[in-house]
Amino acid sequence: MSQPTTATASLDTLAQRIRDGSCVVGIYGLGYVGLPLAIRFADVGIKVIGFDVDPVKVDKLNRNLSYIERIEPDTIARIREAGFEATCDFARSTEVDAQIICVPTPLDSHHQPDLGFVERTVDSILPHLRPGQLMSLESTTWPGTTEEVLAPRLQRAGFTPGDNCALVYSPEREDPGNAQYSTAQIPKVIGGATPRCLQLGEALYAHAIETMVPVSSPRVAEMTKLLENIHRAVNIGLVNEMKIVADRMGINIHEVIQAAATKPFGFVPYSPGPGLGGHCIPIDPFYLTWKAKEYGVNTRFIELAGEINHYMPHWVVQKVADALNDHGKAVKGSRILVLGLAYKKNIDDTRESPAVEIMSLLQDKGAQVAYSDPHVPSFPQKRDYHFDLQSVELTSENIASYDCLVLATDHDGFDYAALIEHGQIIIDTRGRVQGENVVDA
């Protein structure tokens, strides 16, 4: 009987460590995706090391503190007691059996995919790789990234997926603020560079996720994630366009949607708003449109939805200007309070929030802009926007002092009765309030 090669033996050892739960998992990127996943693995008894380039995050976690509103410090303390630790030292990558990469994949200034975070993370791991490790990419990206960007890097470092290492793609499906589905309950799509890679990846994630959805390749898994988010982007683009048409006709689009939603088949309600927010929906479609051009395909339907959704903050600002004009005021010099900085209600996540774009557009027109958000006490640091602002307390005096209120995010924590009673003008982008001083946008 032939003896197993050293490479094969390393993957056999990895498989055994995964089976018996003695494996160590490294989570790279401790944000809205990586930290909940780290918590889940730690809660099922898997040793987790969290890696991040932000020393502030690492320090907070190691002091049992949280920087994400929905994650309590008690949760961090619990997983710390279970052995979780955070670090900026990528040399410790040699200690882990699996590297799960959960870093941002934004667009650059030309609306092109920016894989810089992924590439820098992988390049920081490579010097510390050893045979018998599994690498999983969870960041949303274009179909082919795992096999065209990650695999060659591994191979140049002497590692061959399916031989002496494993490589998989398994897209994140986090939905901040959704209490109905926990990380464990959301089915996990996964594709492996080889059948052995897929087998090892499934076994690893099965410790933490209840339902695994294996697919034939990383490219299928990558495309699956894009389809999920493009589906939402296109339908939101449709309902946003319908909102503009209905507004011109003097029809309340929210009443229309509520009526249409009573149909028990063939219709899924989507809500219009001031634009798209979050890391996925405003960004992911452009990863596919960019890659599709390589194959000579113009994704006109997707790009049209993107144009409509990108226009919505401008639509809101025009509504503000019209409402102020009706009251004999100009945008320039007006005091305008934007209600809600997060991209959706009841969370503290401001990534790609249309509220920020609205603030920027209003400021460019000369408005004195402020914001109020019970979940975001201070304006966060961002690459493209800079406001030195703190959240305004919504007292009756403060509400009345602004020429216009813009309801960008309909947090349940807002006192809507007080807003209606004391607000001079309310521009409602969410269909949340009604009154003589309310303008739908």
Side-chain angles (χ1 to χ4, degrees):
M1 181 180 297
S2 62
Q3 295 297 314
T5 66
T6 302
T8 302
S10 68
L11 290 186
D12 289 343
T13 300
L14 173 62
Q16 180 59 46
R17 288 177 62 79
I18 290 174
R19 276 196 301 271
D20 63 26
S22 64
C23 58
V24 178
V25 171
I27 305 290
Y28 296 77
L30 298 172
Y32 289 92
V33 173
L35 187 54
L37 187 61
I39 292 168
R40 177 58 188 161
F41 271 111
D43 280 343
V44 297
I46 301 294
K47 164 71 176 177
V48 179
I49 301 175
F51 295 82
D52 204 286
V53 296
D54 186 348
V56 175
K57 287 182 178 178
V58 167
D59 178 65
K60 284 187 174 182
L61 292 174
N62 287 334
R63 292 190 291 117
N64 297 340
L65 300 176
S66 174
Y67 41 82
I68 297 177
E69 184 184 47
R70 65 192 174 93
I71 298 176
E72 298 289 340
D74 287 349
T75 300
I76 305 302
R78 183 182 73 238
I79 65 171
R80 291 273 293 133
E81 290 178 5
F84 170 81
E85 53 186 316
T87 182
C88 295
D89 182 7
F90 280 67
R92 298 192 61 189
S93 297
T94 192
E95 300 176 28
V96 305
D97 297 288
Q99 298 120 358
I100 300 179
I101 300 171
C102 307
V103 298
T105 45
L107 300 173
D108 65 18
S109 59
H110 301 289
H111 245 50
Q112 303 290 318
D114 180 1
L115 290 184
F117 289 102
V118 171
E119 292 172 336
R120 288 190 293 273
T121 299
V122 173
D123 290 344
S124 295
I125 294 170
L126 285 177
H128 314 291
L129 281 180
R130 56 174 172 77
Q133 290 177 305
L134 180 150
M135 181 175 289
S136 173
L137 178 61
E138 292 211 357
S139 307
T140 305
T141 186
W142 43 267
T145 299
T146 304
E147 294 164 301
E148 296 171 16
V149 177
L150 270 63
R153 278 174 157 77
L154 290 170
Q155 290 165 349
R156 287 194 294 269
F159 294 90
T160 302
D163 183 9
N164 59 351
C165 73
L167 178 64
V168 301
Y169 179 79
S170 184
E172 59 87 6
R173 279 176 161 175
E174 279 293 316
D175 186 18
N178 188 338
Q180 185 175 359
Y181 298 103
S182 67
T183 300
Q185 295 171 319
I186 301 171
K188 201 84 172 80
V189 173
I190 185 169
T194 70
R196 186 76 193 278
C197 293
L198 177 60
Q199 180 186 48
L200 291 166
E202 278 192 272
L204 175 71
Y205 279 111
H207 282 290
I209 310 298
E210 295 172 4
T211 304
M212 300 303 301
V213 185
V215 295
S216 60
S217 70
R219 296 167 70 88
V220 171
E222 289 158 344
M223 182 68 96
T224 299
K225 172 62 173 176
L226 293 180
L227 175 59
E228 293 169 7
N229 289 329
I230 290 169
H231 165 83
R232 294 171 67 190
V234 167
N235 279 280
I236 292 170
L238 171 63
V239 78
N240 277 334
E241 187 168 58
M242 289 289 291
K243 175 173 73 170
I244 295 172
V245 174
D247 181 82
R248 293 282 194 265
M249 295 180 173
I251 298 170
N252 185 318
I253 189 62
H254 300 284
E255 183 180 0
V256 172
I257 294 168
Q258 290 170 6
T262 62
K263 184 180 180 182
F265 54 88
F267 180 81
V268 177
Y270 282 82
S271 298
L276 294 181
H279 179 65
C280 293
I281 305 178
I283 294 174
D284 295 357
F286 295 100
Y287 272 74
L288 184 60
T289 60
W290 175 82
K291 188 64 175 178
K293 288 180 174 61
E294 181 180 316
Y295 294 86
V297 177
N298 292 317
T299 52
R300 291 174 292 173
F301 203 72
I302 299 170
E303 291 178 32
L304 177 59
E307 290 175 13
I308 294 168
N309 291 324
H310 180 72
Y311 168 69
M312 295 315 295
H314 298 267
W315 161 264
V316 173
V317 169
Q318 185 59 53
K319 281 287 190 176
V320 172
D322 291 344
L324 286 169
N325 186 65
D326 289 342
H327 286 73
K329 298 179 180 179
V331 173
K332 185 175 182 178
S334 290
R335 286 167 46 81
I336 300 176
L337 181 65
V338 174
L339 301 169
L341 197 63
Y343 77 86
K344 68 176 182 176
K345 69 179 184 179
N346 303 334
I347 65 171
D348 62 344
D349 191 346
T350 64
R351 291 176 297 173
E352 308 298 327
S353 173
V356 179
E357 175 69 7
I358 290 169
M359 290 174 64
S360 179
L361 291 171
L362 288 170
Q363 183 172 262
D364 288 346
K365 291 182 178 296
Q368 300 177 42
V369 180
Y371 84 94
S372 180
D373 192 312
H375 302 276
V376 188
S378 300
F379 192 91
Q381 182 177 355
K382 292 185 173 292
R383 290 195 304 174
D384 301 323
Y385 301 96
H386 304 281
F387 290 93
D388 185 15
L389 296 173
Q390 306 295 315
S391 177
V392 172
E393 183 181 359
L394 292 182
T395 64
S396 57
E397 293 81 7
N398 281 344
I399 294 170
S401 71
Y402 287 93
D403 297 295
C404 181
L405 310 177
V406 179
L407 180 59
T409 312
D410 54 335
H411 292 307
D412 290 338
F414 287 141
D415 184 344
Y416 291 100
L419 294 173
I420 294 171
E421 180 180 356
H422 302 290
Q424 297 184 44
I425 305 170
I426 302 175
I427 307 299
D428 181 9
T429 72
R430 299 289 185 174
R432 183 66 184 254
V433 294
Q434 293 181 342
E436 293 182 359
N437 58 342
V438 176
V439 175
D440 289 327

